[in-house]
């Protein structure tokens, strides 16, 4: 994906633009939503990042990375019960050995 290449080149605005284009075509792509959430956090666009993560969790409730990142945002917003819920779900989703 071109967005990944742009991110690797530290062209974060270009990467975000590419993700926006990709999501315009496929708004339910959980990987693109997660990547966009991470980039939006870098631009301190917290509410938009949270919306992307909410969508990822709705699409893939057992995605531990999305749950962990959303837990961080929920905790920072004072939603400690929600953060704990996401962390518990992330732990439950991790494969055990």
């Amino acid at each position: 994906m071109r967005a990944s290449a742009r991110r690797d080149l530290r062209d974060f605005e270009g990467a975000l633009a590419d993700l926006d284009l990709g999501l315009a075509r496929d708004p339910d792509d959980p990987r693109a939503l997660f990547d966009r959430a991470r980039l939006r956090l870098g631009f301190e666009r917290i509410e938009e990042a949270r919306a992307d993560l909410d969508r990822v969790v709705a699409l893939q409730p057992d995605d531990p990375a999305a749950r962990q990142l959303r837990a961080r945002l929920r905790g920072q917003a004072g939603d400690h019960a929600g953060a704990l819920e996401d962390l518990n779900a992330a732990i439950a989703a991790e494969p055990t050995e």
Side-chain angles (χ1 to χ4, degrees), residues 5-7 9 14 18 20-21 23 40-41 47 53 58 62 66 68 81 85 90 92 94 96-97:
R6 285 187 172 194
R7 187 189 64 235
L9 292 170
D18 282 347
D20 287 341
L21 285 173
L23 285 163
R40 284 177 162 177
L41 284 174
E47 292 304 316
L53 292 169
D62 293 331
Q68 289 172 8
E85 176 187 320
E94 287 289 335
T96 59
E97 298 183 334

Side-chain angles (χ1 to χ4, degrees), residues 71-89:
R72 188 178 98 202
L73 294 181
R74 289 173 105 176
Q76 290 172 346
D79 179 8
H80 301 294
L84 184 59
E85 176 187 320
D86 276 338
L87 290 172
N88 285 334

Side-chain angles (χ1 to χ4, degrees), residues 2 9-10 18 20-21 28 31-33 35 37 41 45 47 49 54 63 65-66 68-69 71 85 91-92 96-97:
R2 189 170 73 176
L9 292 170
R10 305 189 69 73
D18 282 347
D20 287 341
L21 285 173
D28 291 334
R31 179 66 186 176
L33 286 163
D35 288 347
L41 284 174
R45 293 165 57 180
E47 292 304 316
D54 287 346
D63 183 327
Q68 289 172 8
L69 188 53
E85 176 187 320
I91 291 167
T96 59
E97 298 183 334

